[in-house]
Amino acid sequence: MSTVEQIDSILQNIENEVPSVEGAVIASRDGFVITHTLTGEDAEEIAAMVATTTGVSERMAATLSAGEVEETSISAAERSVFLYRAGEEGVLALIAGEDANVGMINLQARRSTDKIESLLADPSTAAA
Amino acid sequence: MSKLKIVVTGPVCAGKTTFIHSLAESPPATTEQRVRNPSDKSKTTVALDFGRATIGGHPVNLFGTPGQARFHYMREILVDGTDGLVLLVPSDQKNAIEKTQELMMPLTARMDSPIVVGITRTDLAQRPIHEKIQQSYGSRALEIKQIDAREEDHCRYLVTTLINQG
């Protein structure tokens, strides 16, 4: 299984464990898609926005001397978006529906980000 | 005196972040991230740069945009309510004019504030782009000038032109 396929299976596992997760994107810090499970949305556009939002979060944390950003979330009326740091290379974005169980999403995401981080160290993912 | 909002935009590697560093009174807030597949630069702005300056006695808030096409929405957000736009065009890039036009189209449609153009990186390669810029933005730009974004005086001149004539 290729590195990207391994990451895809982690994303699939999150969606299986937490049914309210409707889609996932792994974005690079500079705003490219590494891999994703989205069907209805433009993953490239979302990945750019993930990098922008993460960039602003990190900057705000630095301004507030808050330390390293682990997670950024957007709660909107109908869907939520959760962004988790996956090491130096990437960000895991989970898009959840209205009835999202935030605790479960956080738990599954944090279990996954370490694995994703080590997989992203593989240079083959940089070309994706 | 109310603060002026000036937006600095242009394609990748035009010198936008450098321009804001040159003018900002204290170190600007930047959102540069390491580029994963480095080609011509190692870091790139993913959200915005922000710096404060005083120009001709006016307090000015400077906002730098990202340059890549994929961050178009940040440029659209940042130009909202701007008092003037500094457009930087790198003369050492092959497709600088095309990239600039693509980037500017959605912006000129949503703002009516004045524009000044700085042609940058002329020390690296001088493509004859001045005339093309004149054709594209001549009617709208208050000034089109070769500048070095590392030189505070050059940057100050462009923003002063915006403020005085805008």
Side-chain angles (χ1 to χ4, degrees):
Chain A
M1 199 162 36
S2 77
T3 307
V4 169
E5 283 166 349
Q6 290 178 60
I7 299 172
D8 284 340
S9 81
I10 294 172
L11 300 184
Q12 200 52 60
N13 183 57
I14 297 173
E15 292 185 18
N16 293 343
E17 293 290 331
V18 195
S20 62
V21 173
E22 296 172 349
V25 179
I26 307 284
S28 64
R29 292 308 192 87
D30 59 339
F32 286 106
V33 185
I34 296 171
T35 185
H36 72 95
T37 69
L38 301 182
T39 48
E41 298 86 0
D42 181 345
E44 289 187 0
E45 178 98 359
I46 301 293
M49 290 175 179
V50 166
T52 297
T53 307
T54 304
V56 175
S57 290
E58 287 176 348
R59 186 67 221 188
M60 190 181 283
T63 304
L64 295 169
S65 306
E68 200 164 81
V69 175
E70 289 300 329
E71 188 227 308
T72 303
S73 63
I74 300 167
S75 305
E78 277 145 48
R79 299 179 102 181
S80 298
V81 187
F82 303 90
L83 311 179
Y84 303 89
R85 177 188 159 80
E88 294 295 315
E89 299 291 342
V91 182
L92 165 65
L94 297 178
I95 296 144
E98 224 171 340
D99 53 345
N101 180 339
V102 179
M104 276 299 286
I105 293 173
N106 280 335
L107 184 69
Q108 286 298 329
R110 286 180 187 138
R111 280 184 182 157
S112 308
T113 47
D114 283 353
K115 282 182 258 173
I116 294 168
E117 177 178 358
S118 56
L119 289 167
L120 291 178
D122 177 348
S124 74
T125 63
Chain B
M1 197 179 297
S2 69
K3 276 200 171 164
L4 295 171
K5 176 178 181 179
I6 302 292
V7 172
V8 183
T9 196
V12 181
C13 289
K16 301 176 291 295
T17 300
T18 305
F19 188 100
I20 291 178
H21 271 280
S22 295
L23 287 178
E25 277 151 10
S26 53
T30 59
T31 57
E32 289 190 290
Q33 293 285 355
R34 197 164 55 82
V35 173
R36 210 153 179 250
N37 287 319
S39 47
D40 43 359
K41 67 191 304 198
S42 61
K43 283 185 152 193
T44 196
T45 298
V46 297
L48 75 161
D49 299 318
F50 174 76
R52 289 191 192 87
T54 306
I55 291 170
H58 292 266
V60 175
N61 284 352
L62 295 161
F63 293 83
T65 76
Q68 279 96 352
R70 64 184 182 280
F71 297 121
H72 64 94
Y73 51 88
M74 275 313 298
R75 291 187 285 274
E76 289 157 19
I77 291 169
L78 290 170
V79 297
D80 189 28
T82 187
D83 297 301
L85 187 80
V86 177
L87 170 64
L88 299 181
V89 185
S91 79
D92 62 329
Q93 280 178 35
K94 238 192 306 183
N95 302 319
I97 293 288
E98 290 79 1
K99 283 183 183 167
T100 301
Q101 285 169 338
E102 214 169 290
L103 171 149
M104 285 294 285
M105 203 125 43
L107 303 187
T108 48
R110 68 178 67 220
M111 52 167 257
D112 49 15
S113 36
I115 295 173
V116 290
V117 184
I119 300 171
T120 57
R121 297 167 73 94
T122 52
D123 53 329
L124 299 174
Q126 288 223 8
R127 291 174 192 275
I129 61 174
H130 197 288
E131 202 174 305
K132 283 182 184 163
I133 290 173
Q134 183 69 44
Q135 283 166 9
S136 302
Y137 304 107
S139 61
R140 187 124 185 217
L142 301 173
E143 177 68 282
I144 299 170
K145 200 172 170 62
Q146 277 193 16
I147 67 149
D148 186 332
R150 295 165 298 189
E151 294 290 335
E152 185 189 337
D153 289 351
H154 295 191
C155 302
R156 192 168 282 276
Y157 169 77
L158 280 187
V159 179
T160 305
T161 305
L162 265 184
I163 291 173
N164 290 345
Q165 299 179 38

